[in-house]
Amino acid sequence: GAGVSQSPSNKVTEKGKDVELRCDPISGHTALYWYRQSLGQGLEFLIYFQGNSAPDKSGLPSDRFSAERTGGSVSTLTIQRTQQEDSAVYLCASSLRLDQGANYGYTFGSGTRLTVV
Amino acid sequence: SQKIEQNSEALNIQEGKTATLTCNYTNYSPAYLQWYRQDPGRGPVFLLLIRENEKEKRKERLKVTFDTTLKQSLFHITASQPADSATYLCAPNSGGYQKVTFGTGTKLQVIP
């Protein structure tokens, strides 16, 4: 597609429920990243995928968070047993490759605003 | 630990003036530094990248400097316009395959 697409744009969920957030990167981009942005805070790295390599999960805050990328394209971030502190905007970005992103910038989606009540 | 500092207070300037935003970093030596613009409810948009061996880079009304001795980057917008109002994020990066770390951003308000 023309840009990085994320869905849903807004999600309100009850505490304890599971949620799935979807990211559709730019076609042909092999590197995909998830970030989290809390109100008034900077972007917090969560996970990245590069092609068929093992993902870098070092930023996932707890084992309630997981992500997968199917067929090297669409990615899903899953949060199990959501807590109020999970409320944030979840941003997805992609780049041609990891080094291309580092050298030429990342393309971000508009994010999913998650509210846990 | 690595730390990125941007002015947390909003910067208000008059239309037509030059806006200067500061990004300071500590405890690492990035090979590259990226600047992004973020509007409310949107994801960041890449603006410029400067490498450690480049002292200055320009793009239209934008100018970025990178001082590896001071561990600082300055981001300038000349002839500022109300449409430049947004939050600007810096992202120093070690290069290669490192994931990018972002500062918290500085909110710029250009007053007509």
Side-chain angles (χ1 to χ4, degrees), chain B residues 10-77:
Chain B
L11 176 64
N12 296 320
I13 65 164
Q14 206 69 37
E15 181 177 5
K17 300 291 187 183
T18 296
T20 298
L21 286 67
T22 304
C23 174
N24 295 298
Y25 55 90
T26 54
N27 294 329
Y28 67 132
S29 300
Y32 311 91
L33 192 145
Q34 302 180 15
W35 282 90
Y36 288 78
R37 168 184 173 139
Q38 187 173 24
D39 291 283
R42 311 290 294 178
V45 174
F46 173 75
L47 295 175
L48 277 172
L49 179 146
I50 187 166
R51 293 177 171 76
E52 62 179 340
N53 61 348
E54 298 174 316
K55 296 301 181 186
E56 179 180 299
K57 180 166 277 188
R58 293 175 184 261
K59 179 182 177 182
E60 298 173 354
R61 294 183 296 110
L62 308 180
K63 184 179 85 170
V64 172
T65 62
F66 192 10
D67 190 324
T68 54
T69 301
L70 291 178
K71 293 187 180 294
Q72 180 181 80
S73 176
L74 298 179
F75 178 83
H76 306 272
I77 305 175

Side-chain angles (χ1 to χ4, degrees), chain A residues 33 35 37 40-43 45 48 50 56 58-59 91 97-99 101-111 113, chain B residues 32-34 36 38 40-46 49 51 87 89 91 93-105:
Chain A
Y33 311 78
Y35 284 83
Q37 187 173 34
Q41 301 296 311
L43 276 69
F45 168 78
Y48 77 62
Q50 167 56 54
D56 180 340
S58 59
L91 290 161
R97 298 189 306 272
L98 282 179
D99 59 327
N103 297 347
Y104 299 104
Y106 301 86
T107 303
F108 281 85
S110 291
R113 180 175 298 279
Chain B
Y32 311 91
L33 192 145
Q34 302 180 15
Y36 288 78
Q38 187 173 24
R42 311 290 294 178
V45 174
F46 173 75
L49 179 146
R51 293 177 171 76
T87 296
L89 309 173
N93 180 259
S94 299
Y97 298 91
Q98 297 294 320
K99 54 188 178 285
V100 179
T101 304
F102 290 82
T104 54

Side-chain angles (χ1 to χ4, degrees), chain A residues 28-58:
Chain A
H29 279 195
T30 63
L32 185 148
Y33 311 78
W34 284 98
Y35 284 83
R36 176 169 74 173
Q37 187 173 34
S38 301
L39 189 62
Q41 301 296 311
L43 276 69
E44 175 189 5
F45 168 78
L46 297 177
I47 185 170
Y48 77 62
F49 299 87
Q50 167 56 54
N52 295 321
S53 302
D56 180 340
K57 305 178 181 180
S58 59

